[in-house]
Amino acid sequence: MSSTTDQTILSQDIEEIVELFAVTPTDTPTSDAERATKLESPKFGTVFTDHMARISWRRDEGWVHRRVEKYGPLQLDPATAVLHYGQEIFEGMKAYRHADGSVWTFRPEENAARMARSAHRLALPALPVDDFIAACAALVRTDLAWVPKAPDSSLYLRPFTFASEPFLGVRPSDQVEFLVIASPAGAYFSGGVKPVSIWVDAEFHRAGPGGTGAAKCGGNYAASLLPQEEAAAKGFDQVCFLDGGSNTYIDELGGMNVFFVMDDGSVHTPELTGSILEGVTRSSILRLAADRGREVVERRIPLAEVVEGLRTGRIVEMFACGTAAVVTPVGRLAGETFDSQIGGGAPGELTMAIREELTDIQYGRLPDRHGWLRRLA
Ligand SMILES: *Cc1c(COP(=O)(O)O)cnc(C)c1O
């Protein structure tokens, strides 16, 4: 076996942890016919598979009781800490079906490591990387029939960790649950990739200096909902947030990082300042753009420079990126004092080339030259 192939299978250590998961099959399995109907055109995040993976944590025992059990409601005491103080973190990944039927995921070590960093910031226990990947593998293998086969569809994986101790005192929880649930997802853009419109919010922030912006936690999303709702009322698809310290630099969207392509071919994205979420898609795109010989620049990007760059034509493309939508072209960027069209309504050339290359790697249509894929089943 070549070394590239070795890299793509799960390590023996992870396989041994997968074996530790006690699988209790659901007593109400979805029939093949019903599953086929549910897989036809699932609306994002509304359909779930039959099972969920789970690991519990107790301060005096550590991570215990690895299992795969029936998907279903959790019974929580009304005093459960997460319901009061929001001690919660999550991840988002996908399992991709390749043409030969095998199922793969993309750079899961990065998501596992990020969840450990998020855990640290939220004073939650860090789940070891191997346990995180093993839990995803155990769930995907149990619910393998739920991994869709249609083009650009996937099984979205949502690992999350929350404070489960019933206690109203303000301190880190002594009990924590880690779960992975899975939701079949159709092509994000049905009917072709369409550029989105973005409102730059100068009033609200999703994160601030020293806050939780670099952690993937529910609280950041809670902070983004009102601005998102207000932007939607103005007719915009998404909100772009500025840095909470000076209200001057571009940070990111509520759930996606942003990139700009300049007229000299260089590719720029806001540098990681502590208030920006370090996207796996972001880091993969930086690599793919550099591989194409593009100059890639991570730096603080002032909104004023972007407004000017869109006016003069120095900025030729803008896109947002994240696991769910992969790469989304931005066709309009507006704020209180400006309103700019980008690319005349058509997606940018590099934007679409990178989108295609990344999805081709994820779906096994191009060689995985960076060893990013891991075979789950
Ligand atoms: C999850 C997320 C992203 C995208 O991260 P990926 O690893 O690329 O999916 C970007 N910004 C925020 C705020 C996020 O929560």
Side-chain angles (χ1 to χ4, degrees):
M1 226 182 254
S2 78
S3 61
T4 357
T5 314
D6 285 344
Q7 269 185 350
T8 62
I9 60 172
L10 298 185
S11 71
Q12 196 49 43
D13 289 350
I14 297 177
E15 289 295 349
E16 279 167 21
I17 300 173
V18 175
E19 295 295 313
L20 298 178
F21 279 76
V23 181
T24 308
T26 174
D27 54 355
T28 56
T30 306
S31 72
D32 289 348
E34 199 184 333
R35 190 174 49 247
T37 311
K38 286 187 167 186
L39 288 180
E40 250 162 44
S41 56
K43 191 173 171 310
F44 181 78
T46 59
V47 173
F48 297 93
T49 65
D50 282 337
H51 298 89
M52 56 193 189
R54 189 164 182 178
I55 313 179
S56 302
W57 181 87
R58 304 286 173 263
R59 191 168 296 281
D60 50 357
E61 293 175 276
W63 293 102
V64 292
H65 201 184
R66 290 164 183 79
R67 68 243 194 230
V68 173
E69 59 193 29
K70 176 179 178 169
Y71 180 94
L74 305 171
Q75 203 179 31
L76 296 181
D77 188 288
T80 301
V82 67
L83 301 177
H84 302 274
Y85 310 123
Q87 200 189 0
E88 186 267 356
I89 54 176
F90 67 94
E91 274 302 324
M93 304 147 71
K94 284 174 170 175
Y96 307 91
R97 176 88 66 182
H98 286 190
D100 66 357
S102 58
V103 175
W104 303 71
T105 193
F106 185 74
R107 306 185 75 184
E109 304 81 8
E110 301 296 323
N111 295 86
R114 185 170 69 191
M115 182 167 245
R117 294 196 298 274
S118 300
H120 177 70
R121 181 63 185 86
L122 275 282
L124 284 161
L127 180 72
V129 168
D130 285 1
D131 277 295
F132 178 101
I133 299 172
C136 294
L139 178 61
V140 168
R141 289 173 191 180
T142 306
D143 282 334
L144 196 55
W146 287 90
V147 184
K149 296 186 170 84
D152 289 325
S153 66
S154 61
L155 184 64
Y156 183 80
L157 303 177
R158 168 52 59 85
F160 60 105
T161 305
F162 68 94
S164 56
E165 183 184 358
F167 176 63
L168 291 186
V170 180
R171 59 145 171 79
S173 183
D174 284 341
Q175 295 176 26
V176 164
E177 293 293 311
F178 166 79
L179 287 94
V180 188
I181 57 175
S183 177
Y188 195 89
F189 294 95
S190 44
V193 176
K194 195 174 128 284
V196 297
S197 57
I198 290 185
W199 175 260
V200 181
D201 201 310
E203 181 185 5
F204 296 112
H205 298 99
R206 61 173 285 283
T212 55
K216 204 168 178 76
C217 65
N220 294 339
Y221 279 71
S224 75
L225 296 178
L226 174 65
Q228 172 66 37
E229 193 175 53
E230 292 187 355
K234 293 187 188 85
F236 290 84
D237 298 311
Q238 296 271 333
V239 174
C240 177
F241 292 98
L242 299 176
D243 77 290
S246 70
N247 212 29
T248 303
Y249 300 99
I250 302 279
D251 261 1
E252 60 168 320
L253 310 190
M256 284 192 270
N257 297 116
V258 292
F259 278 83
F260 300 92
V261 183
M262 304 296 173
D263 59 356
D264 65 0
S266 60
V267 176
H268 298 230
T269 192
E271 70 181 13
L272 302 171
T273 54
S275 59
I276 295 174
L277 199 283
E278 186 174 357
V280 178
T281 318
R282 174 187 181 277
S283 107
S284 307
I285 289 171
L286 285 170
R287 188 62 187 264
L288 294 181
D291 289 353
R292 286 169 181 262
R294 298 283 181 142
E295 183 195 353
V296 295
V297 185
E298 296 175 71
R299 63 179 173 92
R300 306 204 87 181
I301 301 175
L303 172 63
E305 181 198 317
V306 171
V307 173
E308 179 67 3
L310 290 172
R311 196 183 61 77
T312 60
R314 164 104 173 95
I315 296 175
V316 293
E317 298 180 35
M318 177 178 177
F319 62 86
C321 66
T323 296
V326 196
V327 169
T328 305
V330 176
R332 180 185 174 198
L333 189 75
E336 290 297 347
T337 59
F338 67 98
D339 192 343
S340 310
Q341 301 289 328
I342 308 166
E349 205 177 305
L350 183 68
T351 301
M352 292 309 283
I354 288 204
R355 178 187 168 81
E356 188 172 304
E357 182 176 16
L358 188 52
T359 51
D360 281 350
I361 292 171
Q362 290 168 334
Y363 286 93
R365 297 183 293 246
L366 271 182
D368 175 24
R369 65 178 185 276
H370 293 299
W372 282 339
L373 299 187
R374 297 289 174 271
R375 186 167 178 174
L376 294 177

